[in-house]
């Protein structure tokens, strides 16, 4: 794209707000819509343009990005009379950045082609910090030519941007990401609580283990929040449960053994039942402190 495309962004949550802010700051005309208009007010004052519906936004944008909660939300915004697929202009590019079902990503891709539209699945990793700093890891499924066209847009939001394969490959890659995090979060929680019960200063313990073989994004970014008991969401417990459910379904279809993932999902479901579904994933530490 020789000139900057008009962007449409649907879904202004913890991640989406920062992503839109980075796009508008980079000089893109950005149209926005989310179900709760109040969430978009700050972005509108900063230059984003509010749209009254998915339908309105879809008819005006060259590139439409979505960052919603669940696969059912993805279906709602893409499929149906008032959805993106029925209202986007031919040749528009659709980029779903929600962590969603690989099968749904393939379905949207095929449906888009029948409408002369081009769809990419491009889930992200990096949490609220990565979104705010424009340093997300973006895993993309779709066609190389389309990927290359929108890479400058993706580059405003992320640094590690990789085309993983055809439609659905981005979502499958995100499942690999969530599987790796799932077991790691158990280890991070156990390590912090062990340090506390052993009478150590967990902050100085982190200084020693964070840069060694035990190092991980979760250890560096979420363990300090656990130590200071800051449990606000960079990524919601309820959304992590959703991701693990998708990963388990996909793994089951492939006949794969996933004991670590199953245990992590069970622990997070226990946490949600205790009223923590809207907390950040680091709230898992509460289960280990209480037992």
């Amino acid at each position: 794209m020789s000139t900057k495309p008009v962007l449409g962004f649907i879904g202004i949550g913890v991640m989406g707000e920062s992503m839109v802010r980075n796009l508008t700051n980079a000089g893109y005309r950005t149209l926005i819509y989310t179900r709760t208009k109040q969430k978009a007010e700050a972005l509108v004052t900063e230059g984003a343009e509010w749209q009254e519906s998915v339908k309105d936004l879809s008819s005006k944008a060259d590139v439409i990005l979505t960052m919603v909660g669940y696969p059912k939300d993805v279906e709602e915004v893409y499929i149906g009379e008032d959805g993106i697929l029925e209202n986007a202009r031919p040749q528009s590019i659709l980029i779903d950045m929600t962590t969603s079902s690989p099968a749904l990503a393939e379905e949207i891709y095929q449906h888009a082609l029948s409408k002369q539209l081009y769809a990419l699945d491009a889930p992200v990793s990096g949490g609220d910090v990565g979104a705010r700093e424009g340093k997300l890891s973006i895993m993309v499924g779709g066609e190389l030519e389309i990927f290359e066209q929108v890479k400058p847009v993706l580059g405003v939001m992320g640094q590690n941007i990789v085309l993983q394969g055809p439609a659905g490959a981005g979502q499958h890659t995100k499942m690999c990401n969530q599987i790796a995090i799932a077991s790691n979060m158990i280890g991070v929680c156990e390590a912090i609580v062990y340090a506390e019960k052993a009478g150590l200063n967990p902050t100085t313990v982190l200084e020693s283990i964070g840069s060694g073989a035990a190092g991980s994004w979760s250890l560096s970014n979420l363990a300090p929040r656990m130590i200071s008991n800051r449990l606000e969401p960079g990524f919601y417990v309820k959304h992590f449960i959703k991701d693990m459910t998708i990963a388990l379904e996909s793994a089951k279809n492939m006949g794969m053994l996933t004991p670590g993932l199953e245990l992590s999902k069970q622990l997070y479901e226990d946490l949600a039942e205790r009223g923590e579904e809207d907390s950040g994933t680091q709230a898992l530490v509460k289960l280990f402190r209480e037992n």
Side-chain angles (χ1 to χ4, degrees), residues 10-234:
I10 298 169
I12 310 300
V14 172
M15 306 276 285
E17 181 174 358
S18 293
M19 294 160 80
V20 170
R21 182 168 288 116
N22 290 335
L23 291 168
T24 54
N25 288 343
Y28 284 95
R29 182 185 173 201
T30 309
L31 316 178
I32 59 173
Y33 173 79
T34 195
R35 284 183 295 199
T36 306
K37 187 176 181 179
Q38 186 179 358
K39 290 183 178 179
E41 288 175 354
L43 293 172
V44 172
T45 64
E46 295 170 29
E49 300 176 33
W50 173 256
Q51 303 298 299
E52 291 297 332
S53 67
V54 170
K55 184 176 182 178
D56 288 346
L57 180 148
S58 300
S59 66
K60 300 173 186 174
D62 302 310
V63 177
I64 302 167
L65 305 103
T66 51
M67 186 70 167
V68 294
Y70 297 86
K72 62 179 174 60
D73 300 313
V74 175
E75 286 191 59
E76 183 180 323
V77 298
Y78 276 90
I79 300 169
E81 188 177 330
D82 296 322
I84 295 169
L85 291 167
E86 291 298 327
N87 294 285
R89 297 176 299 193
Q91 308 306 313
S92 296
I93 298 174
L94 321 177
I95 309 174
D96 183 30
M97 308 189 80
T98 314
T99 298
S100 182
S101 157
L104 180 56
E106 292 173 36
E107 180 185 341
I108 289 171
Y109 171 81
Q110 293 295 341
H111 195 157
L113 282 182
S114 73
K115 300 282 185 180
Q116 294 182 281
L117 302 168
Y118 305 99
L120 300 174
D121 47 290
V124 303
S125 180
D128 57 333
V129 176
R132 189 168 57 248
E133 296 179 354
K135 295 180 179 178
L136 292 168
S137 177
I138 306 177
M139 317 153 211
V140 187
E143 297 174 24
L144 176 60
E145 180 183 351
I146 304 304
F147 170 71
E148 293 292 348
Q149 285 187 53
V150 296
K151 200 169 181 182
V153 175
L154 298 176
V156 173
M157 299 177 286
Q159 288 186 331
N160 180 21
I161 306 163
V162 181
L163 180 65
Q164 294 289 346
Q171 296 295 355
H172 277 303
T173 304
K174 182 62 186 286
M175 292 303 105
C176 296
N177 185 83
Q178 301 305 72
I179 290 168
I181 289 172
S183 296
N184 181 233
M185 283 296 291
I186 297 172
V188 171
C189 291
E190 289 179 342
I192 294 304
V193 175
Y194 183 98
E196 292 170 348
K197 290 187 179 297
L200 302 172
N201 180 337
T203 299
T204 59
V205 170
L206 275 186
E207 290 177 16
S208 291
I209 71 174
S211 59
S216 69
W217 189 95
S218 296
L219 193 69
S220 298
N221 290 277
L222 297 182
R225 299 187 193 188
M226 294 177 186
I227 293 167
S228 58
N229 214 31
R230 290 183 289 120
L231 305 182
E232 69 280 359

Side-chain angles (χ1 to χ4, degrees), residues 68-70 178 235-244 277:
V68 294
Y70 297 86
Q178 301 305 72
F235 186 58
Y236 287 108
V237 166
K238 61 186 179 185
H239 289 163
F240 195 33
I241 292 171
K242 174 262 296 184
D243 293 356
M244 289 187 283
E277 64 173 11

